[in-house]
Amino acid sequence: MCGRCRCTIRPDDVPRACHLRDTSVRQVDVDRYRPAYNVSPGSYLPVLRRESGGDEGYTAAVHCMKWGLIPSFTKKDEKPDHYKMFNARSESIGEKASFRRLIPKNRCLVAVEGFYEWKKGPKKQPYYIHFKDGRPLVFAALYDSWKNSEGEILYTFTIVTTDSSSDLKWLHDRMPVILGDEASTDLWLNGSSDTKFNTVLKPYEKADLIWYPVTMAMNKASFDGPECIKEIPLKSEQQSNPITKFFSKKGTDDDKESNKTIKESTKNDVQSDVKEEAEAQANLQLSSCGRTVTEIKSDVTTLTPESDSKVEVKRDYEKFLADSKPSTGELGKLPQTPLKKSKVKSGAEKQATLRSYFTKS
């Protein structure tokens, strides 16, 4: 696609820019041309076309035409829309009636210093595309004439486009057909109706086509002047959006705080597990002894995460059994109230039953 361009070329320089030499060229309506850095459809530009013959012997003409094709079959009372067909796809110009009938005799060349394209995004960024050495770009184009209701004849043209080059696909999927040498411009301008134009209607792939970002003021068609082609630096995402950096830093602090919380939670879980295991052991032994829960809890509170839980619990348990054994003088005395048996018999309960048996005997 090509919707904006820079054209400050003098009409006298157009033939040389199009590699046309030793040829008689006349000028038509060039007084309508206004050089500009930001040209849009509906503006007048100098176009090089073949001369259809004449007594003066001219073979070509620099004809000032409006950008944006108005087909000759358009109704006379219809208001022309130059934005409707300011580009013509090279793949379909042989199929659409608006373009197909123009190929045999209405081919022309448009010379400009460069054109603009916009990178899509939250904010469209314009880029200026031109030749590295500053020579003009020559576009393949088609022109037509239309007579309005007042009898005025208006000449208009459309720029032929093709797929974008491999180097410019990141910017846009279309680009104008650039005729980069004398052979291609001569073929498009002077070729016969039987000529196969597919050889020149293709992307421009040479490395001398360069680009750089320009001011976003270019988004307005009314903006004009040398500032249009002044290169600007692009700010990085972090620089252009400081709030992104703020949230990124906050996210880092949150991650650290989260890691700290996880460590503390893990430490508390270990302590809780040790206490729960000791209490479970104590509750199992409670059925066979007279120690109170308060005494057992006091033992549990002495445990720390740094000690080996299994070894300490076993050692306390053995000490607990030793303290719970009755003395020799008490063997003959039966307990006043027999211990209530629990559903699961522990080792301590079995030993108490054997003592009772031997006492009876």
Side-chain angles (χ1 to χ4, degrees), residues 127-172:
Y127 284 78
Y128 179 58
I129 305 168
H130 60 104
F131 278 136
K132 187 176 182 179
D133 59 5
R135 73 182 189 276
L137 304 173
V138 181
F139 298 155
L142 298 169
Y143 74 95
D144 202 354
S145 60
W146 169 68
K147 183 182 290 188
N148 60 19
S149 57
E150 298 176 356
E152 179 186 4
I153 298 177
L154 180 65
Y155 284 86
T156 60
F157 70 93
T158 182
I159 295 174
V160 182
T161 64
T162 184
D163 288 333
S164 185
S165 66
S166 57
D167 290 336
L168 278 175
K169 286 187 181 297
W170 64 273
L171 180 58
H172 202 277

Side-chain angles (χ1 to χ4, degrees), residues 283-311:
N283 289 334
L284 187 62
Q285 299 162 8
L286 187 60
S287 60
S288 61
C289 68
R291 295 188 67 186
T292 64
V293 176
T294 304
E295 294 173 338
I296 296 173
K297 286 186 176 180
S298 63
D299 293 340
V300 172
T301 54
T302 59
L303 296 176
T304 59
E306 289 76 8
S307 62
D308 189 339
S309 60
K310 293 184 179 180
V311 175

Side-chain angles (χ1 to χ4, degrees), residues 33-228:
Y33 167 56
R34 297 290 181 272
Y37 286 85
N38 188 5
V39 182
S40 57
S43 303
Y44 280 99
L45 290 178
V47 173
L48 183 66
R49 63 170 176 81
R50 290 186 300 175
E51 186 66 87
S52 57
D55 298 335
E56 299 180 5
Y58 293 109
T59 57
V62 175
H63 193 160
C64 198
M65 304 181 186
K66 265 195 174 185
W67 184 11
L69 189 74
I70 306 298
S72 58
F73 54 76
T74 303
K75 295 180 180 180
K76 292 183 179 181
D77 58 348
E78 186 175 343
K79 184 179 180 180
D81 183 3
H82 297 285
Y83 280 89
K84 189 175 181 179
M85 286 185 283
F86 62 88
N87 284 162
R89 296 175 66 93
S90 60
E91 298 87 347
S92 59
I93 57 174
E95 302 171 0
K96 295 186 176 182
S98 300
F99 309 131
R100 182 179 62 246
R101 58 191 178 79
L102 304 178
I103 296 177
K105 296 182 179 181
N106 287 47
R107 300 184 305 274
C108 61
L109 302 174
V110 179
V112 300
E113 286 97 339
F115 68 99
Y116 305 92
E117 198 54 79
W118 277 257
K119 174 66 176 175
K120 293 181 180 180
K123 292 184 179 181
K124 292 184 177 181
Q125 173 61 52
Y127 284 78
Y128 179 58
I129 305 168
H130 60 104
F131 278 136
K132 187 176 182 179
D133 59 5
R135 73 182 189 276
L137 304 173
V138 181
F139 298 155
L142 298 169
Y143 74 95
D144 202 354
S145 60
W146 169 68
K147 183 182 290 188
N148 60 19
S149 57
E150 298 176 356
E152 179 186 4
I153 298 177
L154 180 65
Y155 284 86
T156 60
F157 70 93
T158 182
I159 295 174
V160 182
T161 64
T162 184
D163 288 333
S164 185
S165 66
S166 57
D167 290 336
L168 278 175
K169 286 187 181 297
W170 64 273
L171 180 58
H172 202 277
D173 60 347
R174 304 291 294 179
M175 69 182 299
V177 173
I178 301 174
L179 306 175
D181 51 37
E182 184 176 354
S184 58
T185 55
D186 182 67
L187 179 65
W188 181 251
L189 185 64
N190 300 316
S192 64
S193 57
D194 297 332
T195 303
K196 302 297 182 182
F197 296 106
N198 294 336
T199 57
V200 295
L201 301 180
K202 59 184 181 179
Y204 188 86
E205 296 286 357
K206 294 183 180 180
D208 56 350
L209 190 66
I210 61 174
W211 52 87
Y212 54 76
V214 294
T215 175
M216 295 186 70
M218 282 292 304
N219 295 341
K220 295 183 178 180
S222 59
F223 183 76
D224 192 23
E227 295 83 4
C228 293

